[in-house]
Amino acid sequence: MDENWNLMREGLPEVPKVTDWLVQATPSAARIGFDPQQLLFFAVESTIRDLACAEAKISAGSAPRQLIPVPGANLVDCVWENWEEAASRRPPRPRKPISSVPVSFAGQTWQEKLDNLRAQMVKENVGAVVIFALDEIAWLLNLRGDDISHNPVFFAYLVVTRDVLHLFIDAERGAGSVDLAEYFSCDSHKVERHAYSDFRGWMSELKGNRAILEAGRVWLPPTASYALMDAIPVNLRYIEISPLSSAKAIKNEAELAGMRQTNLVDSLALCDFLAWLKDITSPAQSPAGDGAASSDPCGVVADPPRIRAAAEGCKGLSFATISGIDENGAIIHYHVGDSTNPRPLTANSMYLIDSGGQYSTGTTNVTRTVHVGTPTVEQREDFTHVLKALISLATLLFPDGTTGTALDVV
C-alpha cells in the first residue's frame, strides 16, 4: 500500500467505528453506495442501524444518510478492466481438475445425500436451497477440486429444488478431470448444469420463477450476501444455518474410519520428520536453520512437505507450513520466506512446527513444540503452563453458545 492508502485497523482505540467515520466524512442526506455481492445481508442491516446511532451522536438533526446497493461491476473489477496491462497480468479464475470421492470413503452416494437434503426441505416447507459454501458443495456432490490453494474445493454454486439440482460451474477442467456430464447422468436425480457466470442472472430472475417459489420458501443461510437475499421476496425467505453444515459435521462410519486412517498415516509422516530433525541436530551434524541459513539442502521448513508427499493418499499440504525457531516460533503464522530475522537451529533451540496434509480420506493440522537440546528452567515452566492450559481446555465442559474468546481465560 502506498501513500494513497490509510490503513485503519478496527478495534484499536484510536480507530473510529466505520459508521462514525462515515458520518464524519459525508454530508447529511448522503447516499453511500456498497457492493451487494460483497457485503452480507445482515451486515448491511446492522450497518444501517449503527449509522442511525452514529448520526444521533455526531450529527443530530441532520438528514439521514442512506446505504444504496450498487449492482453491476465490482470496483476492483473496474480497475482491472480499465488497466491497459490487465489482459496480460490478471490471472484467470482457476479451473483445476475435479476428482470424485469413492463411496467407500464418503459412506453415501451423492444421490443419497441429496435425498436426505430434500427430506429436510419437505420437513421445513422449503422449495429450494441456495448453497454457496464451497466445502458444502464438494461434500454433497462427493467431488474434490484444487481451485483454492491448500483446499480441496472448486468454484461453484448450487440451487437444489424439490426435483432439480442446478449446478453452476466452469465445466472445462482439463485433462484428468471427472466427466461431469457422465458423473451426473442419473435418471432418478435430475441435474442441470449452468455456466458459473450465469448464477447472478439466474438468481435475479428467481422472483419470477413461480414453479420454484410456489413449492415453498427458499432456504438461505445467514451468511448470504445482500444481493442473494434481495433476490428472494421477504415472505418467502427461510433464513437458517445451511442444512449441509450439520449434515457434513455428523460423520458416518466410513468417514470416521477415514479420519482415523488419515491421522495414523499423518502421524507416521510427522514421526519421520521429528526423527530427521533429531538426526540433523545431533552433535555429529552441522547446525541447520529455519530458512536460507540452513546447511541442510532442504532446510527445516522444507522437509515436512517432502515427507508428506510420500505419505499414502496425501494430495498436498492443508496450509503453508509454519516452522519457527526460538522467538520466531511465537510469531503467529510465521513464514521463513517473509522473515527478516531467520534463526539458526542449534543444540539449544526451541522449535515449533505447525503443519498439515490433505489426504483422500481427510485433513490434518498438527502443531508440535520440541527442544532439540536441554531446555532451561524457564522454558520448562512455560511449556508446563501451556500444557496444563491445553489439558484444562480439552476437559472443559461449556454451554451452547460459548464463543472462542470466552475460552481465552483458560
Side-chain angles (χ1 to χ4, degrees):
M1 298 175 71
D2 59 21
E3 68 279 0
N4 294 300
W5 294 85
N6 184 17
L7 181 61
M8 304 175 75
R9 297 183 183 275
E10 284 190 277
L12 296 180
E14 66 275 14
V15 177
K17 291 181 61 176
V18 171
T19 47
D20 289 352
W21 182 87
L22 285 173
V23 170
Q24 294 168 348
T26 60
S28 61
R31 292 164 58 86
I32 303 169
F34 69 91
D35 185 344
Q37 301 288 347
Q38 301 299 320
L39 291 186
L40 304 187
F41 179 82
F42 286 111
V44 174
E45 296 286 291
S46 176
T47 301
I48 291 174
R49 292 191 296 269
D50 291 346
L51 193 60
C53 292
E55 287 176 324
K57 177 178 64 176
I58 300 172
S59 183
S62 64
R65 293 157 179 80
Q66 292 179 282
L67 287 184
I68 306 297
V70 182
N74 174 271
L75 291 179
V76 176
D77 290 335
C78 291
V79 172
W80 279 110
E81 292 165 3
N82 289 280
W83 186 19
E84 293 181 359
E85 301 179 32
S88 61
R89 300 185 63 174
R90 186 177 190 180
R93 182 182 297 279
R95 299 181 182 182
K96 300 288 185 66
I98 292 175
S99 60
S100 60
V101 179
V103 177
S104 59
F105 291 167
Q108 289 180 302
T109 65
W110 65 266
Q111 294 95 329
E112 290 171 328
K113 292 180 179 181
L114 188 57
D115 288 341
N116 292 337
L117 173 59
R118 284 180 170 147
Q120 196 165 356
M121 291 168 60
V122 172
K123 180 180 177 181
E124 301 295 341
N125 188 29
V126 166
V129 178
V130 181
I131 305 166
F132 48 81
L134 301 187
D135 58 326
E136 294 179 2
I137 294 173
W139 178 84
L140 177 67
L141 302 181
N142 285 348
L143 295 173
R144 299 293 185 268
D146 191 28
D147 285 354
I148 299 177
S149 180
H150 306 310
N151 291 272
V153 297
F154 48 91
F155 290 114
Y157 293 100
L158 281 183
V159 179
V160 179
T161 69
R162 297 284 184 90
D163 53 3
V164 180
L165 185 153
H166 296 272
L167 171 62
F168 299 82
I169 188 172
D170 290 325
E172 298 299 324
R173 292 280 165 171
S177 183
V178 65
D179 185 331
L180 294 178
E182 180 180 347
Y183 183 79
F184 290 116
S185 178
C186 179
D187 294 336
S188 61
H189 294 74
K190 184 178 180 181
V191 176
E192 290 187 6
R193 288 186 293 120
H194 311 261
Y196 180 81
S197 58
D198 289 346
F199 177 71
R200 293 182 183 181
W202 195 91
M203 285 298 299
S204 67
E205 297 173 359
L206 190 57
K207 290 179 179 179
N209 194 324
R210 296 184 61 184
I212 292 178
L213 297 182
E214 287 180 356
R217 298 171 294 176
V218 177
W219 194 327
L220 286 163
T223 51
S225 69
Y226 185 94
L228 272 182
M229 198 74 75
D230 191 54
I232 310 300
V234 175
N235 64 314
L236 292 178
R237 296 174 188 167
Y238 179 64
I239 304 171
E240 189 55 74
I241 294 174
S242 168
L244 297 184
S245 180
S246 56
K248 184 168 67 72
I250 302 173
K251 305 301 182 184
N252 58 47
E253 288 303 319
E255 291 171 320
L256 290 173
M259 291 174 63
R260 297 186 187 101
Q261 177 65 16
T262 297
N263 281 278
L264 177 61
V265 172
D266 196 70
S267 296
L268 292 174
L270 188 60
C271 287
D272 284 343
F273 169 72
L274 293 175
W276 172 84
L277 183 67
K278 183 178 180 180
D279 287 343
I280 68 167
T281 55
S282 66
Q285 299 291 330
S286 300
D290 67 358
S294 174
S295 61
D296 178 81
C298 293
V300 174
V301 72
D303 215 65
R306 181 182 66 82
I307 290 178
R308 277 200 173 86
E312 180 184 357
C314 186
K315 304 296 185 181
L317 298 181
S318 56
F319 57 96
T321 299
I322 300 169
S323 175
I325 296 171
D326 294 331
E327 60 264 37
N328 288 339
I331 300 175
I332 297 176
H333 296 160
Y334 170 79
H335 290 291
V336 174
D338 301 329
S339 176
T340 58
N341 184 34
R343 302 291 298 167
L345 185 65
T346 70
N348 294 313
S349 292
M350 183 87 81
Y351 174 65
L352 175 138
I353 175 72
D354 185 359
S355 66
Q358 292 285 5
Y359 293 82
S360 302
T361 49
T363 303
T364 64
N365 181 342
V366 186
T367 304
R368 291 291 181 269
T369 302
V370 298
H371 200 290
V372 298
T374 303
T376 65
V377 172
E378 182 181 9
Q379 288 173 333
R380 289 176 184 271
E381 290 180 349
D382 292 343
F383 190 93
T384 301
H385 285 311
V386 173
L387 176 60
K388 290 170 69 175
L390 290 174
I391 293 173
S392 296
L393 188 60
T395 57
L396 182 67
L397 297 178
F398 45 89
D400 290 342
T402 302
T403 62
T405 54
L407 300 177
D408 288 343
V409 295
V410 176

